Amino acid sequence: MVTFLPTRPGRLADVPSFDRAIGGAESNVACALAAAGHAVRWVSRVGADGFGDHLRETVGAYGVDVSYVGRDPGRPTGVYFRTAGDRATDAHEVAYYRAGSAASAMSAATVDLAAVRAGRILHLSGITAALSEGCLGLLRELTASGGERPPVVSFDVNYRAGLWGGSDGAEVLLELARRADIVFVGEDEAELAWGVGGGPAAVRELLPEPEVLVVKQGATGATAFVSAAARWGLVAQFPAPLKGRYSRRFLPAPVTPAPTPGTFEPAPVVDVVATVGAGDAFAAGFLSGVLRGLPLRQTLRLGHLFAAAALTTPADLAPPPDRDTTDRLTALDAGAWERLRLGPGWTEAGAAEEEERTP
């Protein structure tokens, strides 16, 4: 969607003007991964209007292949407005205008499924599943077992109760998560959607199927569980990049992963400007680490650093730090990593002052 950010704090009714940007769970991940040097394709639909032009051009400027973004002549591009306040406060307002949008009308019949399945990793979001029956049918088609399944399916639960209304959205998201290979879910949203308390281990008990489950724990950090039964190269230390030749479709029968302990990695201290988009950025950073074949702890740290880039900017989307910076910071010893503090501007050329003080 096109995002409109207020030029000053205050209620939507009082803000006189807005700056235009872009936002959207999957497109945020696509842009961050492309900015980090990966080959990325975004498959979606926008209206045949100026906002659709803006989305294609802006996402494409990050280096994302947008040639499979369809244009819908009969439906508009979705837009939304939000206040400058943090989403966690009562003062935060968001006004969505995407009912009947081009993206909400996506289905298995309106996108190029071959283009969707061509990558090494396919990343999906629970937000798309909530938009319409057609969108949900598309996600079910893409996560179904069988010969057409993409090599690796990544799924960010992204539970938004308001999007589902009175429907059984929590159960639908649980179904989709159980069909994915890599799953991202917040500890808080797991409790909200599924009533799962007791920490990351309890979430893993509910979701034993994914070969990799990442439970995000807010400012505290994140815990990753990697199945002992993983069959496509993702073992406890990610010894090699995914090659796309392993998949559950090659297994003779469903495999229930053996219980494995989680790997927790704390998040650095971040001077937060806005929280919007941080979850998408974390997913992009983690997937970048998977594609690069980095060790698990380094992959989790990469997720934290990408999230920190989003947290220290007001927009939904922020370019990630360059690879030299991330490689240096993810290689810090445990003590130096825990002392790391990141504030606005830390991703710009040269090390931030906070980093310079880190031994």
Side-chain angles (χ1 to χ4, degrees):
M1 292 179 293
V2 173
T3 308
F4 289 93
L5 308 175
T7 54
R8 73 181 192 192
R11 302 184 310 153
L12 285 178
D14 300 328
V15 175
S17 60
F18 297 80
D19 290 326
R20 186 181 63 177
I22 64 171
E26 295 90 342
S27 59
N28 285 345
V29 173
C31 290
L33 278 168
H38 299 283
V40 184
R41 170 181 293 159
W42 179 47
V43 180
S44 187
R45 286 178 68 79
V46 298
D49 49 30
F51 286 151
D53 294 339
H54 173 65
L55 278 176
R56 281 174 55 103
E57 292 166 5
T58 305
V59 173
Y62 278 86
V64 177
D65 174 9
V66 295
S67 59
Y68 290 91
V69 177
R71 308 302 295 267
D72 190 326
R75 297 179 178 86
T77 303
V79 301
Y80 81 97
F81 298 77
R82 67 174 173 86
T83 54
D86 190 280
R87 182 174 283 175
T89 69
D90 292 336
H92 184 76
E93 298 174 76
V94 180
Y96 291 101
Y97 298 92
R98 62 179 164 194
S101 68
S104 71
M106 285 190 301
S107 70
T110 61
V111 301
D112 189 323
L113 296 179
V116 176
R117 292 167 169 148
R120 292 162 67 191
I121 297 178
L122 169 63
H123 181 70
L124 305 169
S125 164
I127 292 178
T128 297
L131 297 183
S132 67
E133 285 299 319
C135 286
L136 175 55
L138 174 61
L139 264 64
R140 282 176 166 153
E141 170 75 19
L142 293 171
T143 58
S145 60
E148 296 300 314
R149 181 186 173 91
V152 176
V153 174
S154 167
F155 181 68
D156 193 337
V157 172
N158 260 326
Y159 178 61
R160 301 287 185 269
L163 280 177
W164 292 95
S167 66
D168 55 352
E171 289 302 314
V172 170
L173 294 176
L174 186 60
E175 168 204 338
L176 293 172
R178 285 173 169 165
R179 297 163 72 161
D181 302 302
I182 302 175
V183 172
F184 301 94
V185 64
E187 186 177 24
D188 55 347
E189 67 178 334
E191 184 168 6
L192 181 63
W194 305 315
V196 179
V203 181
R204 183 54 162 172
E205 288 183 13
L206 180 70
L207 280 169
E209 296 87 356
E211 275 112 346
V212 177
L213 172 67
V214 182
V215 181
K216 298 173 290 183
Q217 297 164 265
T220 303
T223 299
F225 298 87
V226 178
S227 170
R231 305 295 285 267
W232 37 266
L234 274 175
V235 296
Q237 291 300 311
F238 296 115
L242 302 182
K243 301 300 183 184
R245 62 178 184 270
Y246 303 94
S247 174
R248 286 190 184 128
R249 68 174 180 264
F250 296 122
L251 300 180
V255 172
T256 300
T260 55
T263 298
F264 172 76
E265 189 62 27
V269 177
V270 178
D271 296 328
V272 177
V273 173
T275 60
V276 181
D280 304 328
F282 180 93
F286 190 90
L287 294 177
S288 178
V290 171
L291 287 165
R292 293 178 58 192
L294 299 180
L296 179 55
R297 287 193 181 277
Q298 203 168 341
T299 298
L300 283 166
R301 288 184 175 187
L302 202 56
H304 289 318
L305 292 174
F306 276 48
L311 289 167
T312 51
T313 58
D316 292 23
L317 177 62
D322 62 68
R323 186 164 292 189
D324 288 343
T325 299
T326 58
D327 285 351
R328 175 170 57 83
L329 295 180
T330 57
L332 292 174
D333 63 47
W337 174 259
E338 291 178 4
R339 292 191 296 273
L340 185 63
R341 181 165 188 156
L342 303 170
W346 76 273
T347 61
E348 296 173 4
E353 182 181 352
E354 291 87 354
E355 296 171 28
E356 292 289 359
R357 293 201 301 266
T358 300

